[in-house]
């Protein structure tokens, strides 16, 4: 028989607000906690404290991914949720943090209702999901899933010259749990919408059906400087004009493919679930 329980929304807001105070950007609701900085460490420490308060068992792997687990009636792979708590330089308080703290709120609600789940429940946060300091983004989950070898990840040099492995040691978050990790039984991530569509359409929640496939191209346009008044138009090699034409062409090409920014063959879509 199903038991109806609900999460404490105020409790979730309070945790989000408390976490947003670490690295807070004055005059905004946001925060800056770039991966593996002192502020990231302070944010990690706070979330780990909340996990411990809920009696969760903490495991930290070699790339600093942290997973808190609440035992279930049966052992085995957990039902897991989570996201990231690192931010970009001008991060909002919900991006990533919501997915982690909502998980803790679920654990708390389950405990308050006196329910023992069949499988363990786990909440995780992954290192350097934003990629703002260390490329690539989603670094922690790449290592977690075995898409990127740990040794390679530890040697990555950041935009400020820092090295992932050294920074992990410095903030005390290089742990012994193995990575890649054994897969969870199931994984779900709640994430604040990263674009404006649901908000504009007044839809409360949707299911992500795909992510962007970014491709970066650097183009150098070389021209020829010459006398402005005496060079006839037909004999000019104006790099600015060529670069502008390229920019306009690319914009029009993208617009032609439709409103979605990726996968033009699929057409843009989201699936409202309530
Ligand atoms: Zn995010």
């Amino acid at each position: 028989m199903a038991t109806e329980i609900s999460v404490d929304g105020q409790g979730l807001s309070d945790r989000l607000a408390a976490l947003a105070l670490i690295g807070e950007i004055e005059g905004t609701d946001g925060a800056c906690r770039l991966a593996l900085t002192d502020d990231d460490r302070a944010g990690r420490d706070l979330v780990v404290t909340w996990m411990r308060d809920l009696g969760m068992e903490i495991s930290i792997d070699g790339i600093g991914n942290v997973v808190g687990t609440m035992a279930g009636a049966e052992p085995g792979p957990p039902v897991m949720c989570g996201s990231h708590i690192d931010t970009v330089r001008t991060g909002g308080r919900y991006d990533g943090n919501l997915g982690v703290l909502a998980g803790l709120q679920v654990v708390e609600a389950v405990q308050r209702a006196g329910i023992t789940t069949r499988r363990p429940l786990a909440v995780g946060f992954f290192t350097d999901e934003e990629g703002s300091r260390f490329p690539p983004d989603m670094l922690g989950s790449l290592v977690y899933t075995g898409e990127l070898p740990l040794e390679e990840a530890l040697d990555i040099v950041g935009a400020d010259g820092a090295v992932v492995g050294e920074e992990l040691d410095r903030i005390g978050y290089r742990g012994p749990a193995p990575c890649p990790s054994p897969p969870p039984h199931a994984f779900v991530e709640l994430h604040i919408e990263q674009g404006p569509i649901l908000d504009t359409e007044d839809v409360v929640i949707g299911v992500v059906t795909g992510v962007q496939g970014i491709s970066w191209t650097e183009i150098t346009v070389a021209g020829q400087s010459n006398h402005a008044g005496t060079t006839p138009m037909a004999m000019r090699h104006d790099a600015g004009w060529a670069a502008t034409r390229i920019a306009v062409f690319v914009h029009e090409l993208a617009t032609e493919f439709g409103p979605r920014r990726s996968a033009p063959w699929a057409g843009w879509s989201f699936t409202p679930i309530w």
Side-chain angles (χ1 to χ4, degrees), residues 117-192:
T117 54
R118 178 149 65 97
R119 299 176 199 281
L121 279 188
V123 179
F125 56 86
F126 298 96
T127 296
D128 187 43
E129 287 296 284
E130 295 291 16
S132 296
R133 190 175 178 213
F134 301 102
D137 57 359
M138 291 174 274
L139 177 66
S141 48
L142 277 173
V143 176
Y144 191 85
T145 55
E147 298 287 319
L148 184 71
L150 175 62
E151 306 70 44
E152 222 174 280
L154 292 174
D155 287 341
I156 290 173
V157 179
D160 55 3
V163 181
V164 167
E166 290 168 13
E167 286 295 88
L168 274 170
D169 285 334
R170 190 184 66 81
I171 68 164
Y173 272 90
R174 195 203 293 218
C179 43
S181 159
H185 172 75
F187 187 93
V188 63
E189 174 171 355
L190 177 64
H191 204 284
I192 190 81

Side-chain angles (χ1 to χ4, degrees), residues 190-208 268-274:
L190 177 64
H191 204 284
I192 190 81
E193 189 191 15
Q194 294 167 322
I197 299 171
L198 295 180
D199 187 46
T200 307
E201 311 244 329
D202 210 15
V203 173
V204 177
I205 194 166
V207 175
V208 173
W268 75 265
S269 72
F270 62 85
T271 311
I273 58 174
W274 82 63

